Amino acid sequence: MDPSQRIAVVFDYTNFLGVSCRKKWTFSEALLSFSPIFGTVWQDTVKLSQTQEERLWEMALRRLSTRRSDETNLITLLKLAKLEGIEELKLVMPYALEPEQITLIQEKSAAQIQALERDEFMITL
């Protein structure tokens, strides 16, 4: 595929950490907990109107946890991005990743990570 046509999104992990600490249930999440069938139909309808970046953000809010390590969260995030058909992910972190962290994430996710700035990374899935 032509690199200019790659599906790429930006994920600000710093912002995510702040939002996830204050997250409240949405209407569709409440429906899903009481009536899984209705909640699933509702979520499928909402997904059609969202971009891949918005869907990745919503899935991250449901699946990632501040109780888990950043490495575990990032591995999960990359798996979610792959499911969404995202091919490149620009990741903004609150800190620089150590070489050992990058190696672990690459091994567990089969992704390539390139440092752009001290706290920014381009990840090819």
Side-chain angles (χ1 to χ4, degrees):
M1 177 181 279
D2 180 7
S4 65
Q5 296 177 344
R6 293 181 72 83
I7 298 170
V9 301
V10 176
F11 191 88
D12 187 337
Y13 192 74
T14 305
N15 188 30
F16 165 79
L17 291 173
V19 169
S20 66
C21 289
R22 298 182 309 270
K23 184 180 181 314
K24 294 183 175 139
W25 278 31
T26 64
F27 178 71
S28 62
E29 289 170 333
L31 280 177
L32 185 59
S33 70
F34 293 114
S35 177
I37 298 298
F38 184 74
T40 302
V41 171
W42 175 264
Q43 284 186 330
D44 287 346
T45 304
V46 170
K47 281 182 185 179
L48 295 174
S49 66
Q50 292 179 319
T51 66
Q52 288 170 303
E53 191 166 345
E54 291 168 331
R55 287 193 302 266
L56 179 61
W57 182 262
E58 292 297 321
M59 287 191 300
L61 285 172
R62 286 194 304 272
R63 299 280 306 274
L64 307 185
S65 171
T66 55
R67 293 186 177 105
R68 291 191 207 129
S69 72
D70 289 337
E71 294 89 346
T72 300
N73 277 339
L74 293 176
I75 292 164
T76 301
L77 177 68
L78 297 180
K79 290 177 181 178
L80 295 172
K82 284 181 185 179
L83 288 173
E84 276 302 312
I86 296 168
E87 299 166 294
E88 287 185 336
L89 182 75
K90 182 178 179 182
L91 178 66
V92 180
M93 293 291 292
Y95 60 88
L97 293 172
E98 296 294 326
E100 299 81 21
Q101 292 174 299
I102 292 172
T103 300
L104 175 68
I105 294 166
Q106 287 182 135
E107 288 174 355
K108 298 283 184 176
S109 65
Q112 295 300 312
I113 301 174
Q114 176 187 0
L116 301 175
E117 298 285 330
R118 182 175 127 16
D119 56 354
E120 292 184 5
F121 303 87
M122 182 58 71
I123 302 172
T124 305
L125 304 170

